[in-house]
Amino acid sequence: QNSENQLVDINKSLTDFTLLQTDTIEIDLDNSQIYWKGTKFGGAGKHEGKIKLKSGFCIVQNNEIFGGSFIADMKTISVTDMPEHEVIAISKINNHLKSADFFEVERYPTSKFKITRIKKSLNDSIIISGNLTIKNKTKSIKFKASKLSSNKTLLTNFTIDRFKWDIGSNDNFIKKILVDRDIELTIQLKLQ
């Protein structure tokens, strides 16, 4: 019975140690970014840009991410692949992205992502599963990301189908077939 009690004590100590080693770390908003790319005509044309994160945190244990939640400020969505002197054209595209045709930012000012599961993958990568909420619609997604680097940075690149979140779904048939349905997202998260 003594050995059983010792085993219970050891397991309790390991559990306590694990809990002590888990930390919630805020995102460094100045050095974290969401980059987007949308294409048309089967990739023949494109626009790309940025969205700023409003807030976010990761649950970290021994320099590995175990969870987290992030909020993007959709009012900051902007195009970055046009010459700076084309002020009117840039403003037109930015306003179109923010309109009801795409992200409807006045009604839906934020998008959210919450990690539900992380699975180790080959090499220095992980598979992240979670719930992505855009325009008040939540869908489960899964994507590959780098492991947290020594300078506390995580990188990922994946695509989403914009129609699943009603992005541009109100367009007429011609616009729908001209603009490709995939939006490519490249995300850089830097922890504080």
Side-chain angles (χ1 to χ4, degrees):
Q1 187 169 349
N2 284 342
S3 63
E4 285 180 5
N5 287 340
Q6 287 174 346
L7 186 60
V8 169
D9 287 343
I10 290 168
N11 285 337
K12 184 177 184 304
S13 296
L14 287 172
T15 302
D16 290 345
F17 176 77
T18 301
L19 290 173
L20 287 171
Q21 296 301 307
T22 302
D23 199 6
T24 300
I25 303 176
E26 297 289 325
I27 297 298
D28 179 348
L29 296 176
D30 291 332
N31 293 297
S32 298
Q33 195 67 256
I34 301 169
Y35 301 92
W36 60 267
K37 182 166 75 172
T39 59
K40 55 185 177 181
F41 308 120
K46 71 171 178 64
H47 277 302
E48 52 190 66
K50 295 191 288 188
I51 305 168
K52 290 182 181 177
L53 281 159
K54 187 173 185 177
S55 64
F57 67 88
C58 286
I59 299 169
V60 178
Q61 183 183 68
N62 299 329
N63 207 43
E64 290 190 12
I65 292 178
F66 278 79
S69 184
F70 316 95
I71 298 176
D73 183 354
M74 297 309 296
K75 289 187 175 184
T76 67
I77 190 167
S78 61
V79 66
T80 59
D81 64 344
M82 298 180 70
E84 288 183 16
H85 67 272
E86 293 186 16
V87 179
I88 295 173
I90 290 171
S91 178
K92 185 177 177 182
I93 291 174
N94 287 346
N95 289 336
H96 193 205
L97 289 169
K98 294 173 184 179
S99 74
D101 286 347
F102 283 93
F103 292 98
E104 204 169 349
V105 301
E106 289 303 320
R107 188 174 177 190
Y108 308 107
T110 61
S111 293
K112 301 172 187 176
F113 179 70
K114 184 175 182 180
I115 295 173
T116 56
R117 185 178 181 207
I118 291 190
K119 184 180 176 183
K120 290 184 180 179
S121 186
L122 299 174
N123 304 321
D124 289 326
S125 61
I126 53 178
I127 304 295
I128 298 177
S129 300
N131 295 323
L132 177 61
T133 302
I134 303 174
K135 297 178 73 172
N136 215 28
K137 289 179 174 53
T138 302
K139 305 288 182 184
S140 296
I141 62 170
K142 185 190 294 186
F143 54 88
K144 186 179 282 191
S146 67
K147 283 186 178 178
L148 197 60
S149 68
S150 57
N151 66 347
K152 295 184 177 179
T153 302
L154 179 141
L155 298 170
T156 184
N157 175 271
F158 60 94
T159 60
I160 61 169
D161 180 346
R162 65 187 176 93
F163 289 154
K164 289 183 178 179
W165 287 270
D166 289 341
I167 302 166
S169 61
N170 294 328
D171 285 342
N172 62 42
F173 178 74
I174 299 298
K175 283 187 179 178
K176 274 187 176 183
I177 61 171
L178 293 181
V179 179
D180 300 333
R181 60 192 302 150
D182 283 347
I183 299 173
E184 181 181 342
L185 298 174
T186 301
I187 301 172
Q188 173 182 297
L189 293 181
K190 178 82 164 60
L191 305 189
Q192 291 184 351

